């Protein structure tokens, strides 16, 4: 049974509907993530589901009860919300801000008991803000504030947690730590998480299900690996340059224009930094020969003018090798990122020998030197 659900929900401001006929089912122990372009209505939808905006149609249910009929005090013991709105509580330490999460349990006077204080300290340790406990909240960085506000929400001991862009303002370490905390909470406490994220790669890695918001509706819904394909992400965000690669969760630049002057012999992930370096320079290149299952293949396909590919787990055919040689003959330089050649990769050893016999300039050292040596 879902703990949080909507039925034909319309969300918007005033009389203007931004999203219509939204039907969501969120069960305990699940992370459901909204993705979509800016202005699509993700924050508006979350605010409506959280009860901060009145629905313009349809219904929100919390534990099979209409949210609008549940007393706020009881709602606060089940549902917690964290938004990106700027909050500046004056003259409050971080511990005091976190303790506000215990308000549903402390009554009007807000007096915390021993168990409340224990939960506050445990939550600060969980979110790694114990060292900030006595600092003025208004003096923190944006990233530190995010972690304090997450701690306040967790301190409510909710069954449902709604978060709007929780990873905003965080560096990569704290993004991963925050989402790791959420994943751990879902596992240990069986809570349900509904959130919006801009980072598609993080949504893909941390979510059980994704909802794609676009065009005034939920455009698609399902498991991340089923929904987040390269072609669909291009359509969802209206991308005209570059691409998103679901295999690696990376965004790549557009392939350089012009006639390729370099042939890159790569594989096993070794060619990826070289492809990206050439793309940054705007230098067109060929790549190959790569098995379609190779780590290099998706990035090479995105950035190279042409990739000479081969079926997974098959030896390179003579036809593929000769075709790669023909492309190589049009180049003035080559880069080989491979230090050795296995049985299935003898064709690339032959390609390297071909490049040397053609007298192509070996650019490998230029593109494979450590940064400190450049």
């Amino acid at each position: 049974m879902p703990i949080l659900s909507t039925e034909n929900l319309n969300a918007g401001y005033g009389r203007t509907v931004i999203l219509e006929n939204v039907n969501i089912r969120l069960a305990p122990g699940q992370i459901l993530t909204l993705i979509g372009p800016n202005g699509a209505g993700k924050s508006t939808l979350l605010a409506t589901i959280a009860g901060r905006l009145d629905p313009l149609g349809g219904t929100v249910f919390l534990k099979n009860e209409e949210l609008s009929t549940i007393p706020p005090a009881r709602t606060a013991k089940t549902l917690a919300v964290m938004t990106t709105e700027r909050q500046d509580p004056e003259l409050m330490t971080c511990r005091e801000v976190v303790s506000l999460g215990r308000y549903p349990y402390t009554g009007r006077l807000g007096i915390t008991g021993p168990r409340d204080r224990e939960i506050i300290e445990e939550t600060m340790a969980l979110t790694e803000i114990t060292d900030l406990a006595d600092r003025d909240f208004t003096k923190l960085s944006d990233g530190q504030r995010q972690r304090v506000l997450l701690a306040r929400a967790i301190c409510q001991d909710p069954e449902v947690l709604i978060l709007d862009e929780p990873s905003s303002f965080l560096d990569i370490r704290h993004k991963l730590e925050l989402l790791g905390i959420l994943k751990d909470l879902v596992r240990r406490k069986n809570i349900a998480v509904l959130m919006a994220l801009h980072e598609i790669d993080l949504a893909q890695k941390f979510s059980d299900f994704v909802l794609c918001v676009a065009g005034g509706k939920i455009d698609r819904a399902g498991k991340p690996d089923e929904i987040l394909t390269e072609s669909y992400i291009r359509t969802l965000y209206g991308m005209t340059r570059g691409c998103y690669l679901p295999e690696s969760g990376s965004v790549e630049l557009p392939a350089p224009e012009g006639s390729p002057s370099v042939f890159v012999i790569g594989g096993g992930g070794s060619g990826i930094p070289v492809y990206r370096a050439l793309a940054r320079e705007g230098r067109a290149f060929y790549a190959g020969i790569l098995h379609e299952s190779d780590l290099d293949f998706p990035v090479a396909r995105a950035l190279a003018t042409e990739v000479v590919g081969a079926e997974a787990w098959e030896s390179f055919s003579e036809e593929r090798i000769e075709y790669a040689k023909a492309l190589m003959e049009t180049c003035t330089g080559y880069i080989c990122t491979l230090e050795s050649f296995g049985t299935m990769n003898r064709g690339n050893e032959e390609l390297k020998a071909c490049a040397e016999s053609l007298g192509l300039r070996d650019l490998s050292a230029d593109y494979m030197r450590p940064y400190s040596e450049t």
Side-chain angles (χ1 to χ4, degrees):
M1 294 293 292
I3 190 170
L4 179 70
S5 62
T6 67
E7 185 175 300
N8 299 325
L9 181 66
N10 293 345
Y13 294 93
R15 297 182 180 180
T16 303
V17 175
I18 297 176
L19 288 171
E20 59 182 358
N21 296 323
V22 175
N23 293 289
I24 289 176
R25 299 290 183 271
L26 179 61
Q30 292 181 343
I31 296 179
L32 176 61
T33 302
L34 306 178
I35 66 168
N38 290 337
K42 300 185 295 295
S43 295
T44 303
L45 177 59
L46 290 181
T48 304
I49 292 174
R52 297 188 171 192
L53 288 175
D54 291 331
L56 301 183
T59 310
V60 178
F61 295 95
L62 184 62
K63 301 179 78 170
N64 293 322
E65 293 185 69
E66 289 191 27
L67 182 62
S68 60
T69 66
I70 305 174
R74 184 151 62 90
T75 299
K77 291 183 178 181
T78 305
L79 186 150
V81 182
M82 174 184 163
T83 69
T84 54
E85 296 173 357
R86 185 79 178 186
Q87 300 184 41
D88 291 308
E90 295 184 4
L91 303 176
M92 291 187 70
T93 65
C94 294
R95 180 182 282 107
E96 289 169 336
V97 172
V98 174
S99 69
L100 294 176
R102 299 304 299 164
Y103 183 77
Y105 306 92
T106 59
R108 294 183 179 179
L109 296 179
I111 299 174
T112 56
R115 179 55 183 157
D116 296 309
R117 291 191 289 274
E118 183 180 337
I119 291 173
I120 291 166
E121 297 303 321
E122 288 175 353
T123 303
M124 288 194 297
L126 177 66
T127 51
E128 298 187 359
I129 61 167
T130 301
D131 59 326
L132 305 176
D134 297 318
R135 290 183 57 181
D136 183 341
F137 179 81
T138 62
K139 305 299 183 183
L140 301 182
S141 69
D142 287 333
Q144 290 170 326
R145 290 179 184 225
Q146 289 288 84
R147 289 155 62 200
V148 172
L149 294 176
L150 175 64
R152 184 182 69 177
I154 294 173
C155 216
Q156 285 180 229
D157 197 23
E159 296 178 62
V160 179
L161 189 54
I162 296 179
L163 307 108
D164 188 5
E165 301 294 347
S167 56
S168 296
F169 313 118
L170 298 180
D171 59 33
I172 186 62
R173 170 196 162 188
H174 290 109
K175 285 180 190 288
L176 295 174
E177 287 179 354
L178 181 144
L179 292 174
I181 289 168
L182 290 177
K183 200 71 174 176
D184 187 52
L185 280 171
V186 169
R187 257 195 322 267
R188 289 194 297 109
K189 296 191 175 184
N190 203 37
I191 69 169
V193 174
L194 174 63
M195 64 179 172
L197 285 179
H198 275 307
E199 301 92 340
I200 308 171
D201 57 328
L202 296 181
Q204 182 180 19
K205 293 174 175 68
F206 283 91
S207 308
D208 297 302
F209 300 95
V210 293
L211 291 179
C212 304
V213 182
K217 65 183 189 324
I218 301 299
D219 191 61
R220 284 192 184 181
K223 295 181 178 180
D225 293 338
E226 298 171 350
I227 301 296
L228 303 181
T229 64
E230 180 183 347
S231 60
Y232 179 65
I233 291 300
R234 183 181 297 277
T235 300
L236 177 66
Y237 287 92
M239 295 172 62
T240 58
R241 295 177 61 82
C243 65
Y244 175 76
L245 302 182
E247 299 93 338
S248 57
S250 64
V251 177
E252 302 296 342
L253 293 168
E257 298 179 356
S259 299
S261 60
V262 180
F263 194 105
V264 182
I265 304 168
S270 65
I272 293 175
V274 173
Y275 307 147
R276 290 172 176 165
L278 291 167
R280 287 194 298 271
E281 293 179 2
R283 190 169 188 176
F285 65 95
Y286 294 120
I289 302 170
L290 295 171
H291 288 107
E292 293 178 359
S293 58
D294 196 291
L295 287 172
D296 276 12
F297 188 80
V299 180
R301 184 184 58 195
L303 299 179
T305 301
E306 185 173 348
V307 180
V308 183
E311 291 186 15
W313 316 117
E314 295 289 339
S315 297
F316 301 147
S317 68
E318 194 61 35
E319 178 186 4
R320 292 280 81 190
I321 295 172
E322 291 303 314
Y323 182 69
K325 288 180 179 179
L327 294 179
M328 184 175 279
E329 289 175 358
T330 68
C331 298
T332 58
Y334 79 99
I335 300 168
C336 182
T337 67
L338 301 173
E339 296 182 356
S340 61
F341 302 88
T343 304
M344 302 290 288
N345 207 19
R346 292 300 178 197
N348 279 333
E349 187 175 24
E350 190 176 331
L351 276 185
K352 183 180 180 182
C354 177
E356 293 170 346
S357 67
L358 289 170
L360 300 188
R361 183 183 174 193
D362 185 356
L363 303 173
S364 304
D366 295 336
Y367 286 90
M368 298 177 66
R369 286 181 299 173
Y371 178 76
S372 59
E373 297 180 9
T374 60

